[in-house]
Amino acid sequence: MKLVISIVQDEDAHKLMDKLMKNKFGVTKLASTGGFLRSGNTTLIIGVENERVDEVIELIDSIAKTRTQIATTPPLTTWSQGVYMPYPVEVEVGGATIFVVDVEKFEKV
């Protein structure tokens, strides 16, 4: 068994969860915040049998698409580190960050 942890943009989360559940995958949703833009993300935790990992990744890829966004204010960390960036700036957001880890033991109680 594997644990798939996927971090997606909030606007992709509900559609992705619906698609995962329609394909008989159990999914747990956690609210999270991105580092660079401090924008809302969703972390999805999906327990899956080894042979279905690629199927989950394909479903995530079909929904979580990258897009461009205009950032009008710098993240707080740039000021404290002495980094200068002209604003507004166009940045790429969206897509998904996916981790697949082995599950030693799984129990549902």
Side-chain angles (χ1 to χ4, degrees):
M1 177 164 240
K2 302 287 186 184
L3 182 65
V4 178
I5 303 166
S6 179
I7 304 162
V8 299
Q9 203 170 30
D10 278 347
E11 64 187 80
D12 295 329
H14 291 292
K15 190 174 180 182
L16 178 54
M17 287 181 63
D18 288 344
K19 195 164 191 175
L20 288 165
M21 289 186 287
K22 283 179 185 172
N23 285 276
K24 307 280 191 244
F25 292 107
V27 58
T28 299
K29 175 185 171 189
L30 302 172
S32 53
T33 303
F36 179 67
L37 296 176
R38 305 270 190 249
S39 59
N41 289 330
T42 298
T43 301
L44 300 176
I45 301 173
I46 308 148
V48 61
E49 297 300 325
N50 293 356
E51 60 273 2
R52 294 193 74 194
V53 170
D54 290 336
E55 185 181 349
V56 168
I57 292 172
E58 287 173 16
L59 290 172
I60 294 168
D61 183 51
S62 73
I63 300 291
K65 299 295 181 188
T66 58
R67 54 186 89 52
T68 57
Q69 177 178 320
I70 302 295
T72 56
T73 56
L76 298 175
T77 57
T78 58
W79 295 112
S80 64
Q81 296 174 355
V83 176
Y84 172 74
M85 293 179 102
Y87 280 84
V89 64
E90 188 174 79
V91 295
E92 190 174 275
V93 297
T97 301
I98 303 169
F99 301 92
V100 179
V101 296
D102 289 324
V103 174
E104 186 175 316
K105 183 176 180 179
F106 169 76
E107 286 186 39
K108 201 169 198 176
V109 294

